Amino acid sequence: MEKYRSFDEIQIALKKGESDCRSIVNYYLQNIQTKAHLNAFVEVYAQSALEQAEKVDQKLVAGTAGRLAGMVIGIKDVLTYEGHPCTASSKILNGYVSQHTATAVQRLLDEDAIIIGRLNCDEFGMGSSNESSVYGKVLQEIGTNRVPGGSSGGSAVAVQANLCTVSLGTDTGGSVRQPAAFTGVIGMKPTYSRVSRWGLIAYASSFDTIGIFSTTLPDNARILEVIAGYDTKDSTSSSVEVAPYSNSLQFNKKVKIALLKEALHAPSLQAEIKENTLSVAEKLKLAGHEVEEVEFPLLPYVLPTYYILTTAEASANLARFDGVKYGYRSPKAPNLEQLYKNSRSEGFGEEVKRRILLGTFVLSASYHDAYFTKAQQVRRIIKDQTEKLLTEFDFLLLPTTPTTAFKFGEHGDDPVSMYLEDLFTVQAAVAGVPAISIPNGKDKKGLPIGLQVLANTFKETELYAFSHYLSTLTLN
Ligand code: GLN
């Protein structure tokens, strides 16, 4: 029988004395083993998870346990955890063992959560299908030849297949929301700077945001209220006060919702996704909310802006992987220059190399102003316009993805067609506003559909409460 789908279920079992943390960890370990073919975990921390479970069990008896006692969490392979390997699913970090613990992970541990392992992802978070991992692809539990989404594909499937209670991923341009939509779970990307990035292997630092996968909204909110907040180790983290999100889920007001015209009428939007989105909009109207179709003519510019800026930032961030400081070093290195060249050529995969080259190009002296500076100016306009829309309206509603999960290999050698999969998720990333994807029915093939909600900067409380309410109107 399936158990421990949510933290509520775990807390009830613990309170009634029907279970303890050790047995709960063992339950998930068993599931991970049975479903090993999904390839969601690249490493399971059985020993440290069981040790932590024992400590938490003692604290529960003593009445000193933290807020997340009994919560079992998987972390994307870009988040450091002292004494455990971390590779960004790349050969270049082969053999690297973390010397510190990411702030977000540490805050979970401080509240007595249990970290059960690290999860597969696209190499350095670059991708939309989890096909670019050195550990191979992740399969969906629903047993099709469809991708789980990316880059946090392992984190999404771990929750979909009940291999942990919740998981952490990272969202630079959609990597939490898109795999959540493809796998039928909840995926939240908070406001940029809401969660410290310390201990997160950087892809594009002005976009990277740690996000949360869960099957219930209260669980998602519980995690964010623990990991959010200012961190002295990340000067970009925000000192805006963290609200008790999980205690503020009641929603009983009438709101104004904007439906993005350009998204709803995008030629690439799958008919069933459009239908399901409109059906929810209709129900919102019937319930007395104001729903209006609005124009956002900047939408076609969001994707190019995203890919220019993120590749530029990636080319700078990934310069540190040189075969000397971390992980992989080429054995064929007659001199220092060849050592750098060979280590990077052999250590990075195709997609990462493509982005480093593109990023180096847009930053090069003759093209800097035409591409990088221009994209930064466009980013500012997109951010201002998005925030303006979100002051006129409480929420913005649009599909999470143009299509449901596509087939492995479908985008083959055409990276641009893969990038177009991010069409609807990049806006929140470029603007830095919070966004969530919640399940909204399935298409005719039985593949999950995601509905995306955006709110203004630091409006996580409102976003969670509205999404909680919205999940009573979505299709199952
Ligand atoms: N698919 C997008 C990309 O490849 C988003 C990735 C992410 O959010 N990490 O850049």
Side-chain angles (χ1 to χ4, degrees), residues 273-319:
I273 301 184
K274 182 174 180 172
E275 259 166 48
N276 287 14
T277 310
L278 288 174
S279 136
V280 172
E282 212 40 54
K283 288 186 205 161
L284 282 167
K285 272 189 213 159
L286 286 176
H289 303 285
E290 227 177 285
V291 183
E292 205 181 301
E293 276 202 26
V294 297
E295 278 171 13
F296 191 73
L298 294 170
L299 195 68
Y301 301 99
V302 183
L303 201 67
T305 304
Y306 170 81
Y307 273 97
I308 289 172
L309 294 177
T310 53
T311 51
E313 292 187 24
S315 73
N317 275 328
L318 272 56

Side-chain angles (χ1 to χ4, degrees), residues 160-205:
Q160 180 195 43
N162 204 21
L163 311 180
C164 49
T165 332
V166 301
S167 65
L168 290 190
T170 55
D171 191 311
T172 303
S175 278
V176 167
R177 291 161 287 149
Q178 186 252 23
F182 279 9
T183 56
V185 302
I186 298 166
M188 167 73 165
K189 178 200 95 76
T191 306
Y192 173 78
S193 80
R194 183 64 299 186
V195 180
S196 164
R197 286 180 293 113
W198 198 78
L200 158 64
I201 298 177
Y203 158 16
S205 311

Side-chain angles (χ1 to χ4, degrees), residues 102-425:
T103 299
V105 176
Q106 190 57 52
R107 289 184 178 176
L108 295 174
L109 290 167
D110 291 345
E111 288 296 338
D112 291 328
I114 298 159
I115 308 296
I116 196 162
R118 63 187 166 106
L119 294 156
N120 206 343
C121 59
D122 277 303
E123 187 179 359
F124 283 98
M126 299 175 189
S128 310
S129 63
N130 218 125
E131 291 171 292
S132 80
S133 162
V134 73
Y135 303 108
K137 57 192 183 189
V138 175
L139 303 183
Q140 288 228 30
E141 140 131 288
I142 49 179
T144 62
N145 53 352
R146 305 281 165 160
V147 303
S151 64
S152 316
S155 303
V157 169
V159 170
Q160 180 195 43
N162 204 21
L163 311 180
C164 49
T165 332
V166 301
S167 65
L168 290 190
T170 55
D171 191 311
T172 303
S175 278
V176 167
R177 291 161 287 149
Q178 186 252 23
F182 279 9
T183 56
V185 302
I186 298 166
M188 167 73 165
K189 178 200 95 76
T191 306
Y192 173 78
S193 80
R194 183 64 299 186
V195 180
S196 164
R197 286 180 293 113
W198 198 78
L200 158 64
I201 298 177
Y203 158 16
S205 311
S206 76
F207 293 78
D208 293 342
T209 309
I210 295 177
I212 305 148
F213 291 90
S214 65
T215 52
T216 74
L217 268 150
D219 281 359
N220 210 297
R222 276 178 181 126
I223 297 294
L224 186 63
E225 68 201 13
V226 168
I227 64 175
Y230 181 66
D231 175 18
T232 48
K233 293 178 183 142
D234 173 5
S235 59
T236 65
S237 64
S238 168
S239 50
V240 170
E241 206 181 321
V242 178
Y245 308 121
S246 65
N247 283 334
S248 320
L249 293 172
Q250 315 78 342
F251 181 84
N252 43 25
K253 51 180 183 186
K254 299 289 175 234
V255 286
K256 270 180 85 177
I257 299 140
L259 277 178
L260 266 205
K261 240 185 211 165
E262 285 76 6
L264 272 183
H265 303 293
S268 58
L269 181 62
Q270 194 176 320
E272 296 127 302
I273 301 184
K274 182 174 180 172
E275 259 166 48
N276 287 14
T277 310
L278 288 174
S279 136
V280 172
E282 212 40 54
K283 288 186 205 161
L284 282 167
K285 272 189 213 159
L286 286 176
H289 303 285
E290 227 177 285
V291 183
E292 205 181 301
E293 276 202 26
V294 297
E295 278 171 13
F296 191 73
L298 294 170
L299 195 68
Y301 301 99
V302 183
L303 201 67
T305 304
Y306 170 81
Y307 273 97
I308 289 172
L309 294 177
T310 53
T311 51
E313 292 187 24
S315 73
N317 275 328
L318 272 56
R320 74 191 73 176
F321 304 108
D322 56 6
V324 177
K325 303 187 197 75
Y326 310 89
Y328 178 77
R329 177 174 303 165
S330 172
K332 299 173 279 199
N335 55 45
L336 185 63
E337 194 170 327
Q338 269 324 112
L339 173 88
Y340 291 149
K341 280 188 183 162
N342 292 353
S343 300
R344 286 170 69 83
S345 303
E346 294 158 23
F348 288 129
E350 285 298 295
E351 183 58 28
V352 173
K353 281 187 213 167
R354 179 181 295 121
R355 295 195 191 198
I356 292 174
L357 289 174
L358 194 59
T360 311
F361 173 77
V362 301
L363 286 175
S364 59
S366 9
Y367 295 101
H368 194 284
D369 284 350
Y371 293 111
F372 184 71
T373 310
K374 179 65 82 185
Q376 277 192 311
Q377 289 162 342
V378 178
R379 182 181 196 184
R380 165 54 63 187
I381 299 171
I382 293 168
K383 184 173 167 58
D384 288 349
Q385 292 297 318
T386 304
E387 285 179 351
K388 183 164 170 270
L389 203 58
L390 286 166
T391 41
E392 289 161 15
F393 292 86
D394 297 289
F395 304 103
L396 227 151
L397 202 65
L398 73 163
T400 311
T401 56
T403 66
T404 52
F406 49 89
K407 290 189 185 129
F408 284 108
E410 193 168 317
H411 292 295
D413 297 329
D414 184 359
V416 175
S417 77
M418 180 78 90
Y419 300 166
L420 282 166
E421 290 290 341
D422 305 330
L423 193 61
F424 301 151
T425 48

